[in-house]
């Protein structure tokens, strides 16, 4: 399992997620995006649909039906109803599914940085888990320490 920690310093999750989602789609995978706040999920949905006329990322909300057909599913739970093996945790609150995801994108900000540090330490002790830390630098994501 690979976990990528993304520290949001300049942009909110809804600005960072379309870039992550686009890369997930390029490798032929599906993505589950998890956030507890329904308003945050709605902002993420809008961001995914409004990338541009030729570059929108189709997505749907859990609970609205047809979840199994959604390449990107937004939900408050970690149940991959769309068959996703990749998950993006958008609200900085670590959670795991019943079955481990192949790759997790964990987005956190200043308000959730201590929780992210605790999660990093917890995962460091697990066998078979690779974890990476990314930060924003001049509008780009760079891998750090």
């Amino acid at each position: 399992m690979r976990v990528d920690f993304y520290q949001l310093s300049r942009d909110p999750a809804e600005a960072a997620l379309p870039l992550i989602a686009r890369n997930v789609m390029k490798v032929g995978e599906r993505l589950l995006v998890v956030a507890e706040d329904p308003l945050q999920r709605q902002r993420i949905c809008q961001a995914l649909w409004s990338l541009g006329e030729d570059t929108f990322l189709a997505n749907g909300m859990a609970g609205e039906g047809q979840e199994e057909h959604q390449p990107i599913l937004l939900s408050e739970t970690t149940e991959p109803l769309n068959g996703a093996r990749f998950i993006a945790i958008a609200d900085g609150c670590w959670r795991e599914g019943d079955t481990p995801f192949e790759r997790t994108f964990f987005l956190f900000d200043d308000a959730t940085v201590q929780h992210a540090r605790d999660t990093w330490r917890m995962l460091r002790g697990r066998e078979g888990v690779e974890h990476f830390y990314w930060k924003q630098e001049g509008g780009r994501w760079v891998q750090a320490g």
Side-chain angles (χ1 to χ4, degrees):
M1 176 172 82
R2 176 180 171 145
V3 181
D4 291 282
F5 286 72
Y6 284 84
Q7 185 167 7
L8 302 169
S9 58
R10 191 186 76 154
D11 298 321
E14 46 270 25
L17 269 167
L19 303 172
I20 292 169
R22 184 179 327 166
N23 288 334
V24 169
M25 299 296 103
K26 281 182 183 177
V27 297
E29 292 290 341
R30 290 174 174 243
L31 181 66
L32 175 64
V33 178
V34 177
E36 185 175 344
D37 181 7
L39 295 176
Q40 183 181 26
R41 290 194 306 272
Q42 188 59 44
R43 290 190 305 271
I44 292 167
C45 176
Q46 284 300 119
L48 293 169
W49 279 110
S50 63
L51 283 178
E53 188 176 308
D54 297 329
T55 58
F56 71 90
L57 295 170
N59 66 90
M61 296 280 184
E64 293 182 353
Q66 303 291 318
E67 289 89 346
E68 68 277 5
H69 298 293
Q70 299 299 333
I72 303 169
L73 182 66
L74 289 83
S75 180
E76 64 181 312
T77 71
T78 59
E79 187 176 357
L81 299 173
N82 64 340
R85 296 183 313 151
F86 288 26
I87 184 172
I89 301 171
D91 59 7
C93 181
W94 180 260
R95 42 179 94 61
E96 298 181 50
D98 292 336
T99 304
F101 288 88
E102 185 175 310
R103 188 160 182 191
T104 300
F105 303 94
F106 184 49
L107 287 72
F108 63 97
D109 58 15
D110 289 342
T112 56
V113 71
Q114 186 56 52
H115 177 69
R117 288 178 181 143
D118 295 342
T119 301
W120 179 279
R121 283 190 290 276
M122 181 260 307
L123 291 173
R124 187 173 49 206
R126 286 193 187 173
E127 190 173 319
V129 176
E130 295 180 285
H131 50 293
F132 302 88
Y133 170 69
W134 301 86
K135 65 180 181 175
Q136 289 178 304
E137 223 173 67
R140 295 182 38 219
W141 288 100
V142 294
Q143 190 173 348

